[in-house]
């Protein structure tokens, strides 16, 4: 598909947004980010109750989370490429509309299958919101100054991740509301964000003639990733590791992703530009984001289940118990962001954050259903500090190396692989958890003289209130003990992030929105080899600052 567009002049110093305008637009963008984050966190503590009410299984529990991550992952690079070609503001607003529709459908779901489908549709909007907010901020604020604003991003992450579970717990614990409002509650916030952005966000649109969107590449990437994740979710449960189903799914995924690479290498406007992601900083940031995403999403998504199923706390109490992790995210992102803006250095903070993340997951890897909550809280605090120092700064490191015209594709590529890591992490760790829980429950029921099918007579093991007291105790112990094992796996995965961080080149963040002409000449020459288009003229920051040394 192609379209003819007009070419607008790139933004000049005179057209830069004032500090007040930047803060006004940032308020709308942060509200959008809050909406995207709370869509996941508000159901984190409520999900055991939701799946229990819908009589779903542990696999369906995992897929309610995975479905959103999967569709967000598949669409993120498409949103990022569109942001380089079309009006960013309109794309953000379109993402909000899709998110609202998906939220409403999820709220009226009658069974777990319908809920999973609705969450998948909602994820399309979430993918747009997560990618486009980063792109819009990058188009307004130079990389070095952006370190300070990362504190605001960290604050929103902390509020959404702390407030979401608390709100979700309160909703499901309030009889006249019910779990469906966990999905409805984001709708008015999204509408407010839509109106606020319409009034405050003003970004120049730089368009190119004869634009071609790589739909084939996007389809192949989505199909290959989806098939791989479906295999991960069902292997060793529905079929064996060595089976014809495994062969078909794995081989099919490899073929689809291989074809995607070939298409991306030849496409005029690739969804995932190989020329960008092959650069050392981008490649290492992607590897680090992949590891952080796998560890963080894959581990943190089961905390609510650990506190409720494994420890017997209510959804509201489970939300309160996750505060140490969110406090770590808030404090570390604000402090590290300000230090990065002051010094212009970013690598030391990413390295320290990656190491702290491993240490936090290693602590959580030792917990069981009787571990002291103080110890669990200390582990969550370290995980939060690690996430706050790595997640946004890995994106910032990439944005510092690419010209303004490619900021959308570059930012979305990092977000894509981070979301992909999260999706794989949730699927893999969810499958491991389900397997260990099933084996442990079966073993303990047999040892107690209870028939192994005692929890399956039409009742889900997650619907604890419908189970006998003796069986409830066995189920709680199984979930509490198995959760520590998946955190240990998360720690091992996070080690890859440490290696990637150590290999990053030490750089000083630039103080301009765009690369200098000499830097872009090098970038353009490198990109031309891979079929990348030329870069736009440099754009200075509002104070006329030029790039610092890199």
């Amino acid at each position: 598909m192609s379209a003819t567009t007009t070419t607008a002049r790139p933004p000049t110093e005179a057209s830069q947004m004032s500090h007040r305008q930047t803060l006004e637009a940032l308020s709308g963008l942060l509200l959008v980010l809050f909406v995207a984050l709370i869509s996941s966190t508000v159901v984190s503590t409520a999900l055991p109750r939701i799946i229990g009410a819908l009589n779903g299984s542990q696999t369906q529990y995992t897929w309610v989370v995975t479905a959103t991550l999967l569709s967000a992952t598949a669409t993120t690079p498409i949103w990022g490429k569109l942001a380089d070609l079309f009006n960013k503001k309109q794309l953000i607003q379109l993402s909000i509309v899709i998110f609202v529709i998906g939220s409403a459908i999820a709220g009226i779901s009658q069974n777990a299958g319908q809920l999973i489908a609705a969450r998948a549709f909602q994820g399309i909007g979430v993918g747009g919101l997560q990618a486009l907010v980063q792109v819009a901020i990058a188009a307004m604020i130079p990389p070095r100054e952006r370190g300070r604003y990362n504190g605001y991003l960290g604050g929103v992450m902390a509020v959404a991740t702390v407030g979401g579970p608390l709100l979700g717990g309160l909703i499901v614990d309030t009889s006249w509301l019910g779990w469906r409002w966990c999905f409805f509650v984001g709708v008015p916030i999204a509408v407010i964000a839509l109106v606020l952005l319409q009034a405050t966000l003003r970004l120049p649109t730089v368009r190119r003639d004869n634009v071609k969107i790589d739909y084939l590449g996007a389809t192949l990437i989505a199909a290959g990733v989806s098939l791989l994740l479906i295999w991960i979710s069902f292997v060793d449960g529905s079929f064996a590791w060595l089976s014809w189903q495994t062969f078909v799914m794995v081989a099919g995924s490899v073929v689809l992703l291989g074809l995607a690479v070939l298409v991306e290498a030849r496409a005029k406007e690739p969804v995932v530009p190989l020329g960008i992601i092959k650069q050392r900083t981008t490649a290492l940031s992607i590897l680090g984001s992949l590891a952080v995403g796998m560890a963080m999403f894959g581990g943190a998504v089961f905390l609510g289940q650990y506190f409720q199923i494994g420890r017997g706390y209510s959804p509201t109490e489970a939300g309160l118990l996750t505060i140490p992790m969110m406090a770590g995210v808030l404090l570390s992102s604000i402090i590290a962001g300000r230090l990065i803006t002051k010094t212009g250095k970013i690598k030391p903070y990413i390295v320290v954050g990656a190491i702290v993340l491993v240490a936090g997951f290693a602590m959580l890897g030792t917990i069981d259903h009787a571990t002291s909550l103080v110890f669990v809280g200390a582990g969550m605090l370290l995980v939060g500090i690690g996430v706050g120092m790595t997640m946004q700064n890995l994106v910032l490191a990439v944005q510092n190396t690419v010209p303004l015209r490619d900021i959308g594709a570059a930012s979305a590529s990092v977000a894509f692989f981070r979301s992909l890591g999260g999706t794989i992490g949730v699927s893999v760790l969810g499958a491991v958890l389900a397997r260990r829980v099933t084996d442990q429950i079966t073993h303990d029921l047999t040892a107690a003289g209870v028939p192994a099918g005692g929890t399956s007579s039409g009742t889900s093991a997650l619907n604890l209130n419908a189970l006998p007291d003796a069986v409830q105790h066995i189920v709680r112990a199984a979930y509490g003990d198995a959760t520590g094992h998946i955190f240990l796996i998360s720690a091992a995965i996070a080690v890859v992030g440490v290696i990637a961080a150590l290999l990053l080149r030490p750089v000083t963040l630039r103080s301009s929105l765009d690369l200098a002409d000499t830097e872009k000449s090098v970038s353009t020459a490198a990109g031309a080899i891979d079929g990348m288009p030329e870069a736009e003229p440099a754009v200075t920051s509002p104070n006329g600052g030029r790039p610092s040394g890199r």
Side-chain angles (χ1 to χ4, degrees):
M1 176 179 177
S2 63
T4 302
T5 60
T6 58
T7 304
R9 287 167 50 185
T12 63
E13 183 176 344
S15 68
Q16 293 296 307
M17 299 172 67
S18 67
H19 180 64
R20 179 177 178 178
Q21 290 173 324
T22 299
L23 289 178
E24 289 175 349
L26 192 63
S27 65
L29 290 170
L30 292 179
L31 188 58
V32 169
L33 183 62
F34 178 79
V35 168
L37 292 172
I38 205 171
S39 67
S40 297
T41 61
V42 76
V43 301
S44 60
T45 53
L47 199 52
R49 187 77 61 85
I50 294 171
I51 295 299
L54 295 175
N55 209 29
S57 64
Q58 176 63 42
T59 299
Q60 289 174 320
Y61 180 103
T62 301
W63 268 96
V64 170
V65 179
T66 303
T68 304
L69 285 173
L70 176 58
S71 56
T73 300
T75 57
T76 291
I78 300 175
W79 288 112
K81 173 54 67 176
L82 292 176
D84 286 335
L85 306 177
F86 302 111
N87 187 282
K88 298 175 179 63
K89 176 179 176 178
Q90 293 177 357
L91 290 172
I92 294 174
Q93 291 173 321
L94 176 60
S95 300
I96 293 174
V97 171
I98 294 174
F99 171 83
V100 168
I101 295 174
S103 298
I105 296 174
I108 61 175
S109 299
Q110 300 301 308
N111 55 57
Q114 292 178 8
L115 179 59
I116 292 171
R119 291 280 288 174
F121 182 79
Q122 187 185 41
I124 298 174
V126 172
L129 297 179
Q130 290 178 340
L132 296 172
V133 167
Q134 294 281 357
V135 173
I137 292 175
M140 295 190 304
I141 307 169
R144 183 156 179 172
E145 290 299 313
R146 217 173 301 147
R148 177 177 60 184
Y149 290 100
N150 274 351
Y152 296 115
L153 293 174
V156 169
M157 288 176 59
V159 172
T161 324
V162 171
L166 288 175
L167 182 60
L170 182 63
I171 288 172
V172 297
D173 283 339
T174 303
S175 59
W176 53 272
L177 284 175
W179 63 263
R180 297 184 185 278
W181 276 95
C182 290
F183 304 103
F184 294 147
V185 72
V187 173
I189 302 175
V191 172
I192 293 173
L194 188 67
V195 174
L196 189 58
L197 285 175
Q198 179 62 32
T200 62
L201 185 61
R202 295 176 179 85
L203 292 174
T205 303
V206 180
R207 300 179 178 177
R208 300 197 292 271
D209 294 330
N210 299 320
V211 171
K212 291 185 177 180
I213 301 174
D214 181 22
Y215 291 113
L216 177 58
T219 301
L220 289 171
I221 291 172
V225 171
S226 300
L227 187 57
L228 180 63
L229 293 174
I230 291 172
W231 171 72
I232 291 172
S233 296
F234 292 103
V235 70
D236 202 30
S238 300
F239 49 83
W241 288 92
L242 297 177
S243 63
W244 68 267
Q245 292 96 331
T246 291
F247 175 78
V248 170
M249 289 185 178
V250 174
S253 180
V254 170
V255 170
L256 288 171
L257 293 176
L259 290 174
V261 172
L262 294 177
V263 170
E264 296 300 272
R266 297 173 179 269
K268 181 179 179 181
E269 295 285 352
V271 173
V272 180
L274 300 182
I276 291 178
I277 66 175
K278 286 192 295 186
Q279 296 179 23
R280 176 173 173 173
T281 298
T282 308
L284 289 173
S285 295
I286 284 174
L287 182 62
S289 294
L290 189 68
V292 170
M294 290 182 70
M296 189 199 69
F297 287 108
V301 76
F302 298 106
L303 276 172
Q305 193 174 34
Y306 168 76
F307 285 124
Q308 291 180 68
I309 305 297
R311 303 299 294 263
Y313 292 100
S314 71
T316 303
E317 292 169 336
L320 288 169
L321 288 169
T322 61
I323 286 180
M325 186 168 69
M326 300 315 116
V329 173
L330 175 61
L331 293 175
S332 63
S333 60
I334 290 176
I335 295 173
R338 292 194 174 275
L339 290 174
I340 287 170
T341 294
K342 182 179 180 180
T343 64
K345 306 295 184 181
I346 191 171
K347 177 179 177 178
Y349 303 98
I350 296 177
V351 171
V352 172
I355 294 173
V356 172
L357 184 65
V358 172
F361 275 124
M363 285 186 65
L364 293 179
T366 65
I367 66 175
D368 56 29
H369 70 282
T371 303
S372 165
L373 290 181
V374 174
F375 184 87
V376 177
M380 288 192 295
L381 177 65
L382 291 179
V383 169
I385 292 173
V387 170
M389 296 181 71
T390 55
M391 180 170 289
Q392 298 300 327
N393 291 328
L394 286 168
V395 178
L396 180 56
V398 172
Q399 291 175 340
N400 185 64
T401 64
V402 298
L404 184 63
R405 65 173 291 141
D406 291 323
I407 204 76
S411 302
S413 295
V414 178
F416 166 74
F417 284 101
R418 183 178 65 210
S419 184
L420 175 61
T423 310
I424 294 175
V426 171
S427 298
V428 171
L429 297 183
V432 171
L433 180 65
R435 182 68 175 179
R436 289 183 66 89
V437 164
T438 300
D439 291 345
Q440 188 65 40
I441 290 175
T442 302
H443 175 271
D444 291 348
L445 287 176
T446 302
V450 179
T455 66
S456 59
S457 56
T459 302
S460 167
L462 294 176
N463 191 4
L464 289 179
N465 293 332
L467 299 175
D469 290 341
V471 177
Q472 282 189 33
H473 177 75
I474 290 174
V475 172
R476 291 192 190 282
Y479 273 94
D481 296 345
T483 303
H485 183 71
I486 66 173
F487 283 130
L488 198 59
I489 297 174
S490 296
I493 295 171
V495 171
V496 177
V498 176
I499 297 173
L502 290 171
L503 293 176
L504 284 172
R505 284 197 183 100
V507 297
T508 300
L509 298 180
R510 68 176 189 260
S511 298
S512 62
L513 281 176
D514 207 353
L515 291 174
D517 291 335
T518 54
E519 293 175 303
K520 284 195 296 182
S521 296
V522 176
S523 176
T524 302
I529 297 175
D530 297 292
M532 291 171 55
E534 295 181 1
E536 298 286 352
V539 179
T540 60
S541 62
N543 59 8
R546 300 304 299 170
S548 304
R550 297 176 61 214

